[in-house]
Amino acid sequence: MAKYLISFPSAAMVVPSGELEAVGRDAHAVIEEAKAAGVYIFGGGIDEDVPPVLVSADGSVAMGGYPWAPKLNGGFTVLELPSRQEAVAWAARIAKACRCDQELRVFGFDPRS
């Protein structure tokens, strides 16, 4: 079984303010279904009020992330699933609940991690 990252950037979620409560309810319902199915690993959203820091090998900390990298924000879910086809199906359920397309990626397997 592989672990899949299902995610979206903050800008992708354009929801009228009157629908935010329904989006939250629907998104939480899908997550509860994933938990009940035993495929849920972890999920959440990047706290955009807390700026990133870059930590070096010597332990020094610099404000900001990599200056050349795109800004990381939005929400994500990690599910463990037996196939990419099932990952696509779960991503579609999350997309419907969140009212925005989801990006799907698979984590590379490392037997030593």
Side-chain angles (χ1 to χ4, degrees):
M1 293 236 290
K3 290 180 179 65
Y4 292 87
L5 174 66
I6 301 169
S7 63
F8 63 93
S10 296
M13 194 172 187
V14 180
V15 179
S17 60
E19 293 182 34
L20 285 175
E21 186 176 324
V23 169
R25 182 187 64 242
D26 294 350
H28 287 117
V30 173
I31 294 304
E32 289 304 318
E33 292 170 18
K35 288 178 180 179
V39 300
Y40 181 82
I41 302 298
F42 185 79
I46 302 296
D47 186 340
E48 296 177 41
D49 293 331
V50 179
V53 295
L54 197 58
V55 181
S56 297
D58 65 4
S60 61
V61 177
M63 292 303 297
Y66 286 105
W68 48 264
K71 182 178 177 184
L72 180 62
N73 59 30
F76 60 90
T77 304
V78 177
L79 303 179
E80 188 168 42
L81 300 161
S83 70
R84 186 171 181 89
Q85 184 178 5
E86 283 197 41
V88 168
W90 278 101
R93 292 169 78 177
I94 293 171
K96 183 177 181 181
C98 292
R99 280 65 162 184
C100 65
D101 292 346
Q102 301 291 305
E103 184 173 273
L104 178 65
R105 295 177 183 262
V106 63
F107 285 96
F109 178 70
D110 179 355
R112 294 177 37 184
S113 66

